[in-house]
Structures are given as C-alpha cells and as structure tokens.
C-alpha cells in the first residue's frame, strides 16, 4: 500500500487507518519516491522485540565463541 505525501496533507492521519486496515505496512512516497514506512504501534513493537531478540542471540554467540569478556560495571567504565 502506498500513500502519497499530498494525500496525507489533505486527509490527515486518517489515511493511515485506511491504509493499515488490510496491510501490515504502508509506504509513504514523496515526489514519486518511496521515503517512509508507516506501521501500527503493535507491529512496530513486535518488530522491535524481534530486533532486540536478534541482538541478544548475536551477543550470546559472540560470548560462546570467546569474543566476550565478563567484568563488573565499574571495570567496564574504567576501560572506557
């Protein structure tokens, strides 16, 4: 689903309600080019959780591979 920026100006935020009724996301185009993506807050929160879970898995893999160090917060701050 695409939303043209001018449509957003004329219809206001209600355009998002229509666009997101049947789609997970809507692309907002400015001067004919895709520039932004709109998602519901529920979808955004889900995507953030996925992103954080991926980061956690990456860190755990690095620690398992011996690339991490275990230290106290004070030790870490001293290193910085």
């Amino acid at each position: 689903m695409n939303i043209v920026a001018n449509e957003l100006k004329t219809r206001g935020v209600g355009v998002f309600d229509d666009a997101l009724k049947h789609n997970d996301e809507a692309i907002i185009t400015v001067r004919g080019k895709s520039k932004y993506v709109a998602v519901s807050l529920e979808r955004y929160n889900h995507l953030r959780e996925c992103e954080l879970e991926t980061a956690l898995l990456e860190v755990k893999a690095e620690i398992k591979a011996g690339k991490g160090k275990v230290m106290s917060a004070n030790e870490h701050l001293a290193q910085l």
Side-chain angles (χ1 to χ4, degrees), residues 22-41:
H22 305 290
N23 301 290
D24 286 339
E25 58 194 41
I27 298 173
I28 301 168
T29 60
V30 179
R31 296 183 189 98
K33 294 185 179 183
S34 299
K35 188 149 185 176
Y36 305 101
V37 176
V39 296
S40 68
L41 185 58

Side-chain angles (χ1 to χ4, degrees), residues 5 8 10 14 18-19 25 28 37 45 48 51-52 66 70 77-78:
L8 182 56
T10 58
D18 294 340
E25 58 194 41
I28 301 168
V37 176
N45 287 333
R48 286 291 294 147
E51 187 177 49
L52 292 171
V70 177
L77 288 173

Side-chain angles (χ1 to χ4, degrees), residues 6-72:
N6 283 338
E7 184 180 5
L8 182 56
K9 288 179 189 176
T10 58
R11 291 187 50 209
V13 295
V15 72
F16 294 119
D17 288 330
D18 294 340
L20 298 175
K21 270 184 192 170
H22 305 290
N23 301 290
D24 286 339
E25 58 194 41
I27 298 173
I28 301 168
T29 60
V30 179
R31 296 183 189 98
K33 294 185 179 183
S34 299
K35 188 149 185 176
Y36 305 101
V37 176
V39 296
S40 68
L41 185 58
E42 180 181 349
R43 177 82 172 141
Y44 172 79
N45 287 333
H46 172 74
L47 293 172
R48 286 291 294 147
E49 286 178 27
C50 292
E51 187 177 49
L52 292 171
E53 182 67 27
T54 299
L56 179 60
L57 292 173
E58 288 172 357
V59 168
K60 285 182 176 182
E62 286 180 8
I63 291 170
K64 189 174 182 180
K67 296 179 183 178
K69 281 178 136 180
V70 177
M71 64 179 77
S72 71

